[in-house]
Amino acid sequence: MARTTRGGTRSRCRGGTRGRPGQERRISRDDLAAIRERAGDDPDALRDLFVAVMIWGSGTTNGRGPRYTDAALSDSRLETVLRTTRESVREGDLSAAYGQFTLHGVGRSFFTKWFAAVDDRGPECERALILDNRVFHSLNALGWSSREAAGTRRWPKRYAAYVSAMHAWAGELGVTAGWLEWLLFDLNGRVHGDEV
């Protein structure tokens, strides 16, 4: 189960190996960062980070999450895709990372969560951001077009244009791009005060 909080979606899992049986557990962005730090270059640890990202991102309404995660874990390309996309994100080539991510069951809403989780570059960089349907609804409601911003229909370039635009807007507003991403997620297209 998960809930939306000011910091994003926090997944809650019951059971597990630590704590009392039935005790609530949560995966937060900070937890994902800690798992990322421990992972290093170990393929099994990267897979574990990917599973944590999928759990964190599933929320309470995505009953398809376990099925999609299983499909990805069964995909023979998993190790290569996780390694190469992480390398591209770390190099700041988000367009390449987008073009490289091809796993059964995992679409843009989830693989951009992977990009955000593995991006360990400093705050001076245009770090990867999540582009899920809720964020996209808000961008569309604001009249922003990734296709126009990128000057192409190609999604890898459109994702990179989105990240650049978000970082530019965040700088103008004096907030972080991550906070702005969360705000657009939370609004889910309801960007005008008169919408319910």
Side-chain angles (χ1 to χ4, degrees):
M1 294 174 34
R3 65 179 182 185
T4 302
T5 65
R6 185 163 172 76
T9 302
R10 295 175 57 94
S11 296
R12 297 181 289 181
C13 303
R14 299 213 179 267
T17 59
R18 294 185 359 219
R20 296 186 316 260
Q23 181 180 2
E24 185 177 277
R25 306 232 200 304
R26 297 174 187 216
I27 297 175
S28 68
R29 285 185 189 226
D30 290 339
D31 295 325
L32 294 176
I35 296 168
R36 177 190 70 222
E37 295 305 314
R38 289 191 305 267
D41 292 325
D42 176 36
D44 290 337
L46 287 177
R47 182 200 62 229
D48 292 347
L49 174 57
F50 173 74
V51 170
V53 168
M54 294 295 285
I55 292 168
W56 173 76
S58 286
T60 56
T61 60
N62 185 356
R64 299 173 307 275
R67 182 175 69 234
Y68 293 154
T69 302
D70 183 57
L73 292 174
S74 300
D75 193 318
S76 63
R77 301 169 291 183
L78 179 71
E79 184 177 329
T80 300
V81 167
L82 296 183
R83 182 179 37 78
T84 59
T85 57
R86 183 186 68 160
E87 289 170 6
S88 292
V89 167
R90 286 177 155 180
E91 292 168 1
D93 194 347
L94 300 179
S95 181
Y98 194 106
Q100 294 164 338
F101 203 102
T102 306
L103 288 177
H104 297 302
V106 184
R108 176 188 66 229
S109 292
F110 279 88
F111 68 69
T112 60
K113 289 174 176 69
W114 166 253
F115 298 164
V118 298
D119 196 342
D120 58 359
R121 296 175 296 150
E124 71 284 356
C125 298
E126 287 188 356
R127 293 183 63 153
L129 297 169
I130 299 166
L131 181 56
D132 63 11
N133 291 337
R134 291 173 63 110
V135 171
F136 217 86
H137 290 153
S138 293
L139 290 169
N140 288 337
L142 290 168
W144 187 81
S145 165
S146 62
R147 186 170 147 187
E148 288 178 19
T152 181
R153 296 175 66 115
R154 295 187 59 235
W155 273 104
K157 298 288 185 192
R158 291 168 71 175
Y159 173 69
Y162 154 73
V163 171
S164 285
M166 290 285 282
H167 281 276
W169 296 332
E172 292 171 12
L173 296 170
V175 299
T176 67
W179 184 86
L180 188 55
E181 169 208 291
W182 171 83
L183 178 63
L184 294 179
F185 168 84
D186 191 52
L187 290 171
N188 192 21
R190 297 179 312 273
V191 297
H192 305 289
D194 58 341
E195 295 177 357
V196 178

